[in-house]
Every structure is written in C-alpha cells, then in structure tokens.
Amino acid sequence: PPMQAFLEYVVKGLVDRPDAVLITPVDQGGQTLFELRLHPTDVGKIIGKQGATIQAIRSLLQTGAAKQGVRCTVEIVED
C-alpha cells in the first residue's frame, strides 16, 4: 500500500536503526492503523519534542491518505 511505503520511507530516514523499523497495518473498519515498532533508542527521535515529530508524520500521512480517499493513522507500539 502506498501510504505504508510512504510511512516506512519517512520513518527510516529519521532513525539510527532503520533495520529495526516494522510497520504493521491493522484494519479498524474503514481506517487503517499502522502499528510502528522501532528500536528502543529510536522511539524518542520519532516522537520528537512534545510529540512534534509523530504529529507531523500523522499529518502528512492523513493528508496523503485523504487524497487517495482512504483514512489512516499511526501509533508507536513498544513491546
């Protein structure tokens, strides 16, 4: 899916351990939730100061998805 590829591209460009990035799409009835798993040392980089980075990623994802007529969001999952 194009939104998953976009999310993967953005996240891998921001982290030190792109090999550890795992994105799992979960269908939530009309919306796709992308579960984002990262190397523990990279979580802070993706969240950013006061959540600024993850919010920016969500905004980009939602804007791109809207143009395709789909809805999606992203959550960081810490196992």
Side-chain angles (χ1 to χ4, degrees):
M3 295 321 299
Q4 183 171 345
F6 168 76
L7 179 61
E8 191 169 321
Y9 174 78
V10 170
V11 170
K12 285 187 173 185
L14 293 169
V15 297
D16 291 330
R17 296 284 304 275
D19 56 301
V21 172
L22 181 67
I23 299 169
T24 311
V26 179
D27 184 35
Q28 293 189 317
Q31 171 167 288
T32 303
L33 168 67
F34 292 112
E35 292 184 345
L36 179 58
R37 288 174 174 82
L38 305 158
H39 191 272
T41 58
D42 284 328
V43 172
K45 285 190 182 67
I46 295 301
I47 293 172
K49 283 193 172 58
Q50 295 169 333
T53 306
I54 190 70
Q55 280 308 120
I57 292 169
R58 278 193 189 112
S59 296
L60 285 168
L61 194 65
Q62 286 163 352
T63 302
K67 287 182 179 166
Q68 297 178 10
V70 294
R71 291 174 55 220
C72 60
T73 189
V74 59
E75 290 296 334
I76 296 172
V77 178
E78 296 185 67
D79 292 322

